[in-house]
Amino acid sequence: MTILFYTTFSDAKIWKKEIKKQFKNEKIVSIDDKKNYKKVKYAIIWNLPDNILKKLTNLKIIFSQGAGVDHILNLPSYKQTPIIRLKDPAMGDRMSNHALSQILNFQLNLKKYSHYQGIKKWVDDIESYAPLENNKLTIGILGVGFLGKHVANSLKKLDYKVIGFKKNKAKKNYGFKIYDNNLNQFISSSDVIISILPSTKETTNFINKKFLSKMKKKSLLINVGRGNTLNEKDLILHLNKQKNFYSSLDVFQNEPLPKSSKLWSHPNVTITPHVASITIVKSAVKQMHLVYQKYKKGKIISDVKLENGY
Ligand code: OXD
């Protein structure tokens, strides 16, 4: 079987080597192998240009190199080819660690101490700490898909109180309280909100002025989902009004975040460059190969719901 591999990841060479190793019986081609386009049945991709997708007329299945599939669904030539998103527990662990680091930063006032270190000032104002015990902090998970559940379960093990939000009625037991369709209560109960929302028409600007105004005055918003789900202008206005409100952002409306963005220098904002759930190559390709074997036996169906857009 001929597999096309294309990525804009900076470690593309490492990916290619690993794909060749694990898919050793298959022919791996790149977008430069134009004569092979018609033979391509499989594609492992991240940010494939639309003009290439258009030419892959025999494509049977697409693997997303990440958990998100918006980079495929947004291509004008994309029709109905089944998509398999990457569901790698190692990515979930990575995202849980990222979320935990940001919660602790908030919980233990570390951002403040880092500021004081910069000006060589010893400030031991212990009474201004956020609750020290994990079980006094409620962490709200916005978007309880594969990664959301993984993060929730890791935090639960550390004794945090975890709740989730889901727009439709929860059909299964998540192991933590789900506020289905009760967004206001979800927002106002959370000390920390971790947004792992995908990018869809419905989620664009989901976290806006109204949403932010319902968050606790002293709280933290972590965005590790997609940048367009958060209205950055509304966030800056909110941050300027609420001195105990913090935000940790890994994804942005425009990436790389433009130098002109006010978010860079806001004292209550932490910025990371879309690294919260970096794909771990070996483990990711292994997952893809396992799915590939199942697919060859006719066992796998896509878990991307085209009608929902994620
Ligand atoms: C992903 C991402 O979709 O890292 O996996 O953004």
Side-chain angles (χ1 to χ4, degrees):
M1 192 152 335
T2 303
I3 303 179
L4 175 107
F5 169 58
Y6 178 85
T7 189
T8 51
F9 285 6
S10 57
D11 54 354
K13 280 200 184 120
I14 302 174
W15 270 89
K16 192 165 169 193
K17 203 166 149 207
E18 195 59 33
I19 291 174
K20 283 194 162 160
K21 198 162 126 199
Q22 295 205 36
F23 288 78
K24 56 180 180 296
N25 298 325
E26 319 301 340
K27 186 176 166 99
I28 313 296
V29 299
S30 77
I31 60 167
D32 300 327
D33 296 306
K34 294 199 173 68
K35 62 176 186 337
N36 279 314
Y37 280 3
K38 289 254 153 13
K39 290 192 200 137
V40 172
K41 294 219 168 118
Y42 244 75
I44 300 177
I45 56 173
W46 187 260
N47 287 337
L48 181 74
D50 188 58
N51 64 328
I52 309 287
L53 180 68
K54 206 174 180 171
K55 293 180 191 141
L56 304 179
T57 47
N58 286 315
L59 196 56
K60 297 280 178 281
I61 196 141
I62 302 177
F63 272 107
S64 169
Q65 251 187 305
V69 293
D70 42 328
H71 64 106
I72 304 168
L73 299 182
N74 291 341
L75 295 175
S77 303
Y78 175 75
K79 297 284 177 296
Q80 300 272 321
T81 312
I83 302 174
I84 313 263
R85 68 171 81 249
L86 185 57
K87 277 186 177 173
D88 183 4
M91 257 171 112
D93 288 344
R94 160 90 203 185
M95 190 173 262
S96 304
N97 280 343
H98 180 90
L100 178 63
S101 72
Q102 299 311 299
I103 294 168
L104 289 173
N105 204 11
F106 168 72
Q107 187 177 356
L108 305 179
N109 283 338
L110 299 183
K111 208 158 171 59
K112 200 168 80 181
Y113 294 117
S114 148
H115 162 75
Y116 287 136
Q117 181 178 352
I119 54 171
K120 299 186 182 164
K121 198 167 168 186
W122 185 272
V123 181
D124 57 351
D125 56 341
I126 293 168
E127 71 281 2
S128 76
Y129 277 74
L132 278 175
E133 304 107 298
N134 294 2
N135 64 10
K136 297 259 160 56
L137 274 188
T138 299
I139 316 289
I141 311 280
L142 187 58
V144 283
F146 173 73
L147 287 171
K149 273 184 290 184
H150 199 104
V151 172
N153 288 323
S154 316
L155 294 173
K156 258 181 66 183
K157 282 190 198 136
L158 296 171
D159 231 13
Y160 288 103
K161 283 196 266 177
V162 176
I163 59 175
F165 173 76
K166 203 177 171 311
K167 89 176 162 356
N168 302 317
K169 192 133 195 64
K171 292 195 190 101
K172 59 181 174 202
N173 181 2
Y174 279 77
F176 50 93
K177 185 169 172 49
I178 296 287
Y179 289 82
D180 36 22
N181 237 340
N182 199 342
L183 185 60
N184 290 349
Q185 212 183 334
F186 165 81
I187 301 177
S188 58
S189 308
S190 303
D191 296 294
V192 176
I193 290 185
I194 306 177
S195 173
I196 317 183
L197 288 177
S199 164
T200 69
K201 277 193 205 112
E202 263 181 86
T203 60
T204 304
N205 284 324
F206 190 84
I207 306 175
N208 54 18
K209 192 173 163 191
K210 197 166 155 213
F211 184 111
L212 293 164
S213 69
K214 295 193 177 118
M215 283 186 73
K216 287 188 183 176
K217 282 196 167 49
K218 180 169 185 170
S219 59
L220 166 68
L221 170 72
I222 303 176
N223 190 10
V224 285
R226 282 292 180 262
N228 65 345
T229 62
L230 169 65
N231 185 312
E232 288 174 7
K233 280 203 184 105
D234 289 355
L235 175 67
I236 292 170
L237 287 173
H238 189 73
L239 281 158
N240 289 343
K241 272 196 270 167
Q242 301 293 346
K243 71 175 180 24
N244 289 318
F245 183 83
Y246 290 82
S247 190
S248 163
L249 307 171
D250 186 58
V251 287
F252 302 88
Q253 277 163 3
N254 294 307
E255 292 179 16
L257 181 64
K259 284 211 170 19
S260 59
S261 170
K262 293 200 170 69
L263 292 169
W264 279 114
S265 51
H266 199 288
N268 288 15
V269 175
T270 300
I271 302 229
T272 50
H274 203 143
V275 289
S277 76
I278 291 180
T279 321
I280 296 156
V281 184
K282 207 179 172 83
S283 142
V285 179
K286 200 166 162 194
Q287 291 295 324
M288 287 178 174
H289 192 247
L290 282 174
V291 177
Y292 176 70
Q293 282 166 323
K294 284 192 194 160
Y295 171 76
K296 283 212 301 191
K297 289 185 191 143
K299 280 192 190 153
I300 195 82
I301 44 151
S302 167
D303 60 352
V304 176
K305 295 194 190 79
L306 299 183
E307 65 282 12
N308 294 350
Y310 62 92

Short mmCIF file of all heavy atoms in Angstrom, two decimals, residues 9 46 64-71 86 91 95 147 224-226 250-251 274-279, ligand 1:
data_model
loop_
_atom_site.label_atom_id
_atom_site.label_comp_id
_atom_site.label_asym_id
_atom_site.label_seq_id
_atom_site.Cartn_x
_atom_site.Cartn_y
_atom_site.Cartn_z
N PHE A 9 5.40 19.90 10.89
CA PHE A 9 6.11 19.81 12.19
C PHE A 9 7.60 20.03 11.96
O PHE A 9 8.15 19.58 10.94
CB PHE A 9 5.94 18.41 12.81
CG PHE A 9 4.59 18.13 13.42
CD1 PHE A 9 3.53 19.02 13.30
CD2 PHE A 9 4.38 16.94 14.12
CE1 PHE A 9 2.28 18.73 13.86
CE2 PHE A 9 3.15 16.64 14.68
CZ PHE A 9 2.10 17.54 14.55
N TRP A 46 -0.25 16.57 8.47
CA TRP A 46 -0.51 17.74 9.31
C TRP A 46 -0.34 18.94 8.39
O TRP A 46 0.71 19.17 7.81
CB TRP A 46 0.48 17.82 10.48
CG TRP A 46 0.13 18.93 11.44
CD1 TRP A 46 0.70 20.16 11.51
CD2 TRP A 46 -0.87 18.90 12.48
NE1 TRP A 46 0.11 20.90 12.51
CE2 TRP A 46 -0.85 20.15 13.12
CE3 TRP A 46 -1.79 17.92 12.91
CZ2 TRP A 46 -1.69 20.46 14.18
CZ3 TRP A 46 -2.63 18.25 13.97
CH2 TRP A 46 -2.58 19.50 14.59
N SER A 64 -4.64 11.94 11.13
CA SER A 64 -4.17 13.24 11.59
C SER A 64 -2.98 13.00 12.50
O SER A 64 -3.02 12.14 13.38
CB SER A 64 -5.27 13.95 12.36
OG SER A 64 -4.73 15.09 13.01
N GLN A 65 -1.94 13.82 12.30
CA GLN A 65 -0.76 13.67 13.15
C GLN A 65 -0.96 14.22 14.55
O GLN A 65 -0.06 14.17 15.39
CB GLN A 65 0.38 14.44 12.51
CG GLN A 65 1.44 13.55 11.90
CD GLN A 65 2.60 14.42 11.45
OE1 GLN A 65 2.40 15.34 10.68
NE2 GLN A 65 3.79 14.12 11.93
N GLY A 66 -2.13 14.80 14.77
CA GLY A 66 -2.44 15.32 16.10
C GLY A 66 -3.84 14.93 16.50
O GLY A 66 -4.56 14.24 15.73
N ALA A 67 -4.27 15.41 17.67
CA ALA A 67 -5.63 15.11 18.12
C ALA A 67 -6.64 15.94 17.33
O ALA A 67 -7.75 15.52 17.07
CB ALA A 67 -5.74 15.42 19.60
N GLY A 68 -6.23 17.13 16.93
CA GLY A 68 -7.14 18.03 16.19
C GLY A 68 -7.24 17.61 14.73
O GLY A 68 -6.28 17.08 14.14
N VAL A 69 -8.43 17.84 14.15
CA VAL A 69 -8.64 17.47 12.74
C VAL A 69 -9.11 18.67 11.93
O VAL A 69 -9.43 18.54 10.75
CB VAL A 69 -9.63 16.28 12.59
CG1 VAL A 69 -9.04 15.01 13.16
CG2 VAL A 69 -10.96 16.59 13.26
N ASP A 70 -9.13 19.85 12.56
CA ASP A 70 -9.57 21.05 11.85
C ASP A 70 -8.68 21.36 10.64
O ASP A 70 -9.14 21.90 9.65
CB ASP A 70 -9.64 22.26 12.79
CG ASP A 70 -8.46 22.36 13.75
OD1 ASP A 70 -7.92 21.31 14.15
OD2 ASP A 70 -8.06 23.48 14.10
N HIS A 71 -7.39 20.98 10.72
CA HIS A 71 -6.48 21.23 9.60
C HIS A 71 -6.90 20.43 8.36
O HIS A 71 -6.49 20.77 7.25
CB HIS A 71 -5.03 20.91 10.00
CG HIS A 71 -4.76 19.47 10.33
ND1 HIS A 71 -4.07 18.63 9.49
CD2 HIS A 71 -5.12 18.69 11.39
CE1 HIS A 71 -3.99 17.43 10.04
NE2 HIS A 71 -4.63 17.44 11.18
N LEU A 86 -5.31 11.22 16.11
CA LEU A 86 -4.33 10.56 16.97
C LEU A 86 -4.84 10.55 18.40
O LEU A 86 -5.16 11.59 18.96
CB LEU A 86 -2.99 11.30 16.88
CG LEU A 86 -1.84 10.67 17.62
CD1 LEU A 86 -1.58 9.24 17.16
CD2 LEU A 86 -0.59 11.49 17.46
N MET A 91 0.32 11.41 24.69
CA MET A 91 -0.05 12.82 24.47
C MET A 91 -0.91 13.32 25.62
O MET A 91 -0.83 14.47 26.05
CB MET A 91 -0.90 12.91 23.21
CG MET A 91 -0.21 13.43 22.01
SD MET A 91 -1.34 13.17 20.65
CE MET A 91 -1.74 14.85 20.28
N MET A 95 -0.20 16.38 28.13
CA MET A 95 -1.13 17.49 28.36
C MET A 95 -1.51 17.62 29.84
O MET A 95 -1.65 18.72 30.36
CB MET A 95 -2.39 17.33 27.50
CG MET A 95 -3.23 18.57 27.54
SD MET A 95 -4.60 18.54 26.42
CE MET A 95 -4.01 19.45 25.04
N LEU A 147 -8.61 13.70 25.23
CA LEU A 147 -7.60 14.40 26.04
C LEU A 147 -8.20 14.98 27.30
O LEU A 147 -7.59 14.91 28.38
CB LEU A 147 -6.94 15.52 25.21
CG LEU A 147 -5.97 15.04 24.12
CD1 LEU A 147 -5.56 16.19 23.21
CD2 LEU A 147 -4.74 14.36 24.70
N VAL A 224 -5.75 25.13 26.04
CA VAL A 224 -4.87 24.20 25.33
C VAL A 224 -5.65 23.56 24.17
O VAL A 224 -5.24 22.52 23.65
CB VAL A 224 -4.31 23.10 26.28
CG1 VAL A 224 -3.22 23.66 27.17
CG2 VAL A 224 -5.42 22.48 27.12
N GLY A 225 -6.81 24.16 23.84
CA GLY A 225 -7.63 23.61 22.75
C GLY A 225 -7.25 24.24 21.43
O GLY A 225 -6.25 23.86 20.81
N ARG A 226 -8.05 25.23 21.02
CA ARG A 226 -7.75 25.94 19.78
C ARG A 226 -7.90 27.44 20.03
O ARG A 226 -8.80 27.87 20.77
CB ARG A 226 -8.71 25.50 18.67
CG ARG A 226 -8.35 24.17 18.04
CD ARG A 226 -7.05 24.27 17.24
NE ARG A 226 -6.66 23.01 16.62
CZ ARG A 226 -5.77 22.16 17.12
NH1 ARG A 226 -5.17 22.41 18.27
NH2 ARG A 226 -5.43 21.06 16.47
N ASP A 250 -1.76 28.38 25.38
CA ASP A 250 -0.84 27.57 24.55
C ASP A 250 -1.21 27.70 23.07
O ASP A 250 -0.42 27.34 22.21
CB ASP A 250 -0.95 26.11 25.00
CG ASP A 250 0.07 25.21 24.31
OD1 ASP A 250 1.28 25.51 24.44
OD2 ASP A 250 -0.33 24.25 23.62
N VAL A 251 -2.44 28.17 22.82
CA VAL A 251 -2.93 28.27 21.44
C VAL A 251 -3.51 29.67 21.23
O VAL A 251 -4.02 30.28 22.17
CB VAL A 251 -4.00 27.19 21.17
CG1 VAL A 251 -3.40 25.81 21.06
CG2 VAL A 251 -5.08 27.20 22.25
N HIS A 274 2.18 26.48 21.65
CA HIS A 274 1.45 25.31 21.15
C HIS A 274 2.25 24.01 21.38
O HIS A 274 2.55 23.26 20.45
CB HIS A 274 1.13 25.50 19.65
CG HIS A 274 -0.05 24.65 19.22
ND1 HIS A 274 -0.99 25.07 18.31
CD2 HIS A 274 -0.44 23.39 19.56
CE1 HIS A 274 -1.89 24.13 18.11
NE2 HIS A 274 -1.57 23.10 18.88
N VAL A 275 2.60 23.81 22.65
CA VAL A 275 3.41 22.63 23.00
C VAL A 275 2.75 21.77 24.07
O VAL A 275 3.34 20.81 24.54
CB VAL A 275 4.81 23.06 23.50
CG1 VAL A 275 5.65 23.61 22.38
CG2 VAL A 275 4.71 24.07 24.65
N ALA A 276 1.50 22.11 24.45
CA ALA A 276 0.88 21.43 25.58
C ALA A 276 0.72 19.92 25.36
O ALA A 276 0.80 19.14 26.29
CB ALA A 276 -0.48 22.05 25.90
N SER A 277 0.49 19.53 24.12
CA SER A 277 0.39 18.08 23.91
C SER A 277 1.22 17.67 22.70
O SER A 277 0.74 16.99 21.81
CB SER A 277 -1.05 17.62 23.76
OG SER A 277 -1.52 17.95 22.47
N ILE A 278 2.47 18.07 22.73
CA ILE A 278 3.39 17.71 21.64
C ILE A 278 3.29 16.20 21.41
O ILE A 278 3.25 15.42 22.37
CB ILE A 278 4.84 18.04 22.02
CG1 ILE A 278 5.04 19.54 22.09
CG2 ILE A 278 5.82 17.42 21.04
CD1 ILE A 278 6.45 19.92 22.45
N THR A 279 3.25 15.83 20.16
CA THR A 279 3.15 14.41 19.84
C THR A 279 4.51 13.74 20.09
O THR A 279 5.53 14.26 19.66
CB THR A 279 2.76 14.26 18.36
OG1 THR A 279 1.82 15.27 18.03
CG2 THR A 279 2.18 12.92 18.08
C1 OXD B 1 -3.20 18.58 18.25
C2 OXD B 1 -2.45 19.75 18.69
O1 OXD B 1 -4.23 18.71 17.59
O2 OXD B 1 -1.37 19.60 19.29
O3 OXD B 1 -2.77 17.46 18.57
O4 OXD B 1 -2.88 20.88 18.45
#
